[in-house]
């Protein structure tokens, strides 16, 4: 399936799980000969009113992780990618607003998986560009040290003055990213 066909299908179903695993220790650009991709499709992911069914999303992500990591156990799959001491950032996209933003249900399923893999809630950070965008898309702001943290770059955090280089990427990151996070999950939709 092509990327374009995948995105069309995900948009038609109304939910997509797009997750990229990016370790922050990029001393050298890392390239793989082939990327591993799993596709999760379940027509019942939305109920008759159009609401996303959390239990179905959880199962879709669990099955995808087991397939991706070639294991029969979801906990083992998550533990292959993350250590309990990792601080994991979940970068979401709220810019498009309701209907085309990173589904809160997908993020909840990711958090459930990370927790299953031994990551404490305090080591999980959800972020996007602005706190206004996050609120508009049903995310609750939490800057405290307890529980999963969720906040925007603006207005409170800001960007680094000097660009950060990680592999092929070079740009100004949020001030906290290079120092706090051990792993990033990119969830574009």
């Amino acid at each position: 399936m092509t990327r374009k066909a995948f995105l069309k299908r995900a948009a038609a179903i109304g939910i997509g799980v797009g997750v990229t695993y990016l370790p922050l220790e990029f001393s050298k650009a890392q390239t793989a000969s082939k990327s591993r991709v799993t596709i999760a499709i379940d027509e019942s992911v939305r109920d008759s009113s159009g609401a996303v069914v959390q239990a179905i999303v959880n199962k879709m992500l669990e099955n995808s992780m087991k397939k991706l990591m070639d294991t029969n156990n979801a906990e083992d799959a998550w533990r292959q990618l993350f250590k309990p001491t990792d601080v994991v950032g979940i970068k979401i996209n709220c810019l498009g607003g309701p209907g085309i933003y990173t589904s809160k249900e997908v993020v909840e399923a990711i958090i459930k998986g990370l927790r299953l893999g031994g990551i404490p809630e305090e080591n999980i950070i959800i972020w996007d560009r602005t706190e206004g965008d996050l609120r508009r898309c049903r995310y609750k702001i939490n800057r405290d040290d307890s529980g999963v943290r969720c906040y925007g770059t603006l207005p409170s955090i800001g960007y680094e003055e000097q660009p950060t280089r990680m592999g092929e990427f070079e740009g100004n990151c949020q001030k906290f990213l290079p120092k706090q996070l051990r792993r990033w999950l990119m969830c574009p939709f």
Side-chain angles (χ1 to χ4, degrees):
M1 177 180 285
T2 66
R3 181 177 185 274
K4 185 176 179 180
F6 169 72
L7 292 174
K8 266 187 174 177
R9 180 71 187 248
I13 293 172
I15 191 165
V17 180
V19 178
T20 303
Y21 165 74
L22 294 174
L24 286 181
E25 63 254 357
F26 277 106
S27 56
K28 300 178 199 172
Q30 299 177 9
T31 57
S33 58
K34 285 187 175 185
S35 296
R36 295 187 62 181
V37 175
T38 63
I39 298 172
I41 298 171
D42 189 325
E43 303 293 334
S44 64
V45 73
R46 290 190 178 272
D47 66 18
S48 60
S49 71
V52 177
V53 180
Q54 185 67 58
I56 303 289
V57 176
N58 292 349
K59 194 56 134 173
M60 291 168 69
L61 184 57
E62 181 180 303
N63 290 338
S64 291
M65 288 296 293
K66 290 189 296 188
K67 185 173 183 179
L68 179 70
M69 301 313 296
D70 195 26
T71 182
N72 293 324
N73 181 304
E75 181 179 338
D76 291 343
W78 286 99
R79 287 183 186 264
Q80 286 181 49
L81 293 175
F82 301 97
K83 297 175 187 161
T85 56
D86 286 343
V87 177
V88 180
I90 303 173
K91 170 58 177 91
I92 62 175
N93 182 2
C94 293
L95 191 58
I100 55 172
Y101 61 93
T102 305
S103 165
K104 192 166 188 308
E105 292 80 7
V106 170
V107 175
E108 290 297 325
I110 291 168
I111 292 168
K112 181 179 179 196
L114 290 168
R115 297 284 297 124
L116 184 65
I119 306 288
E121 283 187 345
E122 291 73 25
N123 285 11
I124 301 171
I125 301 171
I126 301 165
W127 89 95
D128 197 18
R129 190 177 61 101
T130 72
E131 291 181 3
D133 289 342
L134 287 160
R135 282 188 192 97
R136 189 169 37 104
C137 295
R138 303 181 301 135
Y139 289 90
K140 183 179 176 202
I141 305 303
N142 177 18
R143 291 185 208 93
D144 296 333
D145 288 334
S146 62
V148 174
R149 287 172 279 165
C150 179
Y151 44 81
T153 303
L154 301 173
S156 57
I157 305 297
Y159 293 95
E160 294 182 310
E161 288 78 30
Q162 299 297 317
T164 296
R165 181 154 185 81
M166 292 180 278
E168 305 263 332
F169 168 80
E170 183 172 353
N172 296 72
C173 294
Q174 277 188 337
K175 287 182 180 177
F176 78 87
L177 289 180
K179 296 173 183 71
Q180 273 188 308
L181 299 182
R182 171 102 169 97
R183 304 278 188 237
W184 289 3
L185 293 170
M186 308 300 282
C187 303
F189 56 96

